[in-house]
Amino acid sequence: MSPPVAPPGWSRWLVPPAALSVHLSIGQAYAWSVFKPPLESALGLSGTQSALPFQLGIVMLGLSAAFGGTLVERNGPRWAMTVALLCFSSGFLLSALGASSEQYWLIVLGYGFVGGIGLGIGYISPVSTLIKWFPDRPGMATGIAIMGFGGGALIASPWSAQMLESFGSDSSGIALAFLVHGLSYAVFMLLGVLLVRVPRPAPEERATATQPPLGPQVSAKQAVRTPQFWLLWVVLCLNVTAGIGILEKAAPMITDFFADTSTPVSVTAAAGFVALLSAANMAGRLGWSSTSDLIGRKNIYRVYLGAGALMYTLIALFGDSSKPLFVLCALVILSFYGGGFATIPAYLKDLFGTYQVGAIHGRLLTAWSTAGVLGPLIVNWIADRQEDAGRHGASLYGLSFVIMIGLLVVGFVANELVRPVAPRHHIPAQREAAHVERQQSESA
């Protein structure tokens, strides 16, 4: 499937909605918790078992993005979005079959493995295309799309809850909800498949096709051999670890922090806090990534990591004495969490060029898979150990917050060590020109 080239006069502002249609759909992954209690009740699962599809989905997101990134670059955004549509929707259909037959392994296979591949390919599908359409504002462009992934749960959570209320929360009701999800998301993602276009080279660019683009151009294979790639891997992993450490345990955390005060947090208020965090996550993806176009990628990560450590310090020292302070600091941390995801593609473009930025981004997302395990493990394991030792309230989280502060400081140092990529890693000009010509001939 050759990449569709935009006709003359095509507006580049039609491309972000195409990307959003995919990211808003696969962002449903953040709403998996809606299905956990019904599945546990209907199929007799433990909390650990009911989390398995989501955990496997995030792992497969990182792996499929890493191994499929080169294919996405080679075959273009329409191919990638089509693969994402087929995998993500098929995952829901397999899950529907598993729920109706009460075979939980089918739900794990469908939502976690097959759907997880759709998550990874869909997540990176528009990145390099958006950067090519918006060379003047790459942070804003990728932020618009990746904002959809963070905001997908704001749509999926109430929608899924309403379906379970209407269809019932037994196995047949869950199966019907999965079926509706699979079919609905297929239609919505199809809009992106049909709408996406790659930019048509300008006349002056076609006339100089044998000349490589300005700036460094590094292949994905060579990028993973550079210290810059691994420094950014550490930066992304630690920034995500700090954010997901709060996000994964947000409701019980705010409840525990104020359990021993005169104004404890109700279940409803805790749920509202989770919704606020989702909104901050989504807003940070667009707001902070757009800011990076003005102040630079390295500077914005100084904000994410340095100010993030400060926010964690304020929560650790004063969080249990002031609800507004706790909520404000948590919202800032989650905005940095979302902003980090949205800014990293533009950071990669600055360092490695546009040659295979989508493939490089895919490989870097293994940091997300690692952080998805590391962040919840730190917070939950320490909280369990502290509770076993007889502690309660805010003291359950003191040590884990100190660890998060340390991780953010390490990430800050790693960001400071990032330097331009050495010329020996750049691809030869002849090879780059041949790649440009091949892309143009394929588009024609």
Side-chain angles (χ1 to χ4, degrees), residues 10-22:
W10 183 269
S11 173
R12 65 177 182 172
W13 292 102
L14 294 173
V15 180
L20 270 174
S21 72
V22 173

Side-chain angles (χ1 to χ4, degrees), residues 58-83:
I58 296 299
V59 170
M60 291 308 301
L61 186 158
L63 294 178
S64 62
F67 290 105
T70 302
L71 289 175
V72 172
E73 284 289 301
R74 181 182 306 145
N75 297 323
R78 176 168 287 180
W79 175 89
M81 290 181 179
T82 301
V83 171

Side-chain angles (χ1 to χ4, degrees), residues 280-292:
N281 177 12
M282 182 174 65
R285 291 171 188 247
L286 179 58
W288 290 121
S289 61
S290 298
T291 303
S292 77

Side-chain angles (χ1 to χ4, degrees), residues 215-277:
Q217 301 294 324
V218 183
S219 69
K221 182 178 180 180
Q222 194 65 25
V224 298
R225 300 175 180 174
T226 65
Q228 287 84 353
F229 176 89
W230 294 106
L231 286 170
L232 287 190
W233 193 98
V234 170
V235 165
L236 180 64
C237 181
L238 299 185
N239 188 62
V240 173
T241 298
I244 210 168
I246 287 181
L247 184 62
E248 190 271 341
K249 203 176 174 64
M253 182 182 291
I254 193 171
T255 301
D256 290 336
F257 252 78
F258 298 99
D260 299 330
T261 68
S262 58
T263 55
V265 176
S266 66
V267 174
T268 302
F273 174 62
V274 174
L276 281 175
L277 292 181

Side-chain angles (χ1 to χ4, degrees), residues 316-330:
L317 293 177
F318 310 110
D320 58 343
S321 61
S322 172
K323 283 181 186 176
L325 177 65
F326 179 94
V327 171
L328 177 62
C329 291

Side-chain angles (χ1 to χ4, degrees), residues 394-417:
S395 60
L396 296 175
Y397 304 97
L399 179 58
S400 62
F401 284 3
V402 171
I403 293 174
M404 293 297 181
I405 294 168
L407 293 178
L408 287 169
V409 170
V410 172
F412 188 93
V413 173
N415 183 55
E416 292 301 306
L417 295 176

